[in-house]
Amino acid sequence: MAHSDFYGAHPDYRTRLSLLVRDPKDDVVGAALAVEDLMENEEVHAILGPEWSSQAKFVSDLGVKAQVPIISFSATSPSLSTRGSHYFVRTAYSDSSQVGALAAIVQAYGWREIALVYEDTDYGNGLVPYLVDAFQDVDARISYRSVIRPICRGCRRCKRAQ
């Protein structure tokens, strides 16, 4: 709608944006295929998306190789901050920005030891160093860590259904 409204208000603009939509769902490989299709067959100049951090991490490498900017409005994994790519832009706050609030809760209750439970993914593992630092800042330590395997969503590798 914004696209139509803009050109409706500015019919004299000669440069036109063309929006091409692909929906890879939650699939990392689908996101990569969609981006590859857009870069090779449509010769796009920029890509808005992907939605998930796991997709963004994978797709940002494609953007670097093709020198096509990838702009994500919702990827929040802290591991994306350190990638240093000139072709990947994340506009959402990193989830690491929330660890201060968790540390404040720990401090308010006077807890000195924390049992950390997190998912064994790039997302979960990427947040741990920030949590450790934030808890140390409030004189709390992580006394136990439990890593949980991610839930399979019916991938081809294990052939399990949801």
Side-chain angles (χ1 to χ4, degrees):
M1 289 177 10
H3 183 265
S4 298
D5 289 349
F6 178 82
Y7 287 119
H10 305 286
D12 54 328
Y13 278 34
R14 294 167 49 86
T15 302
R16 295 285 173 161
L17 293 177
S18 178
L19 301 176
L20 306 170
V21 179
R22 303 290 188 275
D23 185 9
K25 308 289 185 222
D26 294 345
D27 187 31
V28 174
V29 175
L33 292 172
V35 166
E36 185 178 47
D37 173 59
L38 289 168
M39 289 190 292
E40 288 182 4
N41 298 327
E42 304 293 342
E43 299 178 11
V44 296
H45 295 277
I47 293 176
L48 300 177
E51 184 176 357
W52 304 105
S53 294
S54 57
Q55 294 170 335
K57 185 174 181 180
F58 194 78
V59 166
S60 66
D61 291 335
L62 296 174
V64 169
K65 289 178 184 172
Q67 297 184 343
V68 173
I70 309 287
I71 303 164
S72 176
F73 296 105
S74 56
T76 59
S77 173
S79 66
L80 293 170
S81 299
T82 59
R83 298 192 55 83
S85 168
H86 298 295
Y87 291 96
F88 179 74
V89 178
R90 179 182 66 195
T91 63
Y93 284 113
S94 167
D95 284 332
S96 64
S97 66
Q98 299 177 30
V99 298
L102 294 171
I105 292 169
V106 168
Q107 186 176 37
Y109 281 97
W111 297 331
R112 296 286 171 236
E113 292 189 17
I114 308 297
L116 186 60
V117 180
Y118 60 97
E119 188 177 73
D120 189 17
T121 60
D122 286 343
Y123 172 78
N125 292 317
L127 196 57
V128 170
Y130 297 98
L131 287 168
V132 170
D133 290 346
F135 291 151
Q136 283 178 346
D137 289 345
V138 297
D139 295 323
R141 70 180 189 89
I142 297 173
S143 59
Y144 180 77
R145 294 183 192 199
S146 180
V147 183
I148 299 172
R149 245 185 28 179
I151 297 171
C152 180
R153 289 186 164 83
C155 65
R156 291 182 186 138
R157 186 178 66 228
C158 67
K159 296 182 176 59
R160 286 189 294 181
Q162 286 181 320

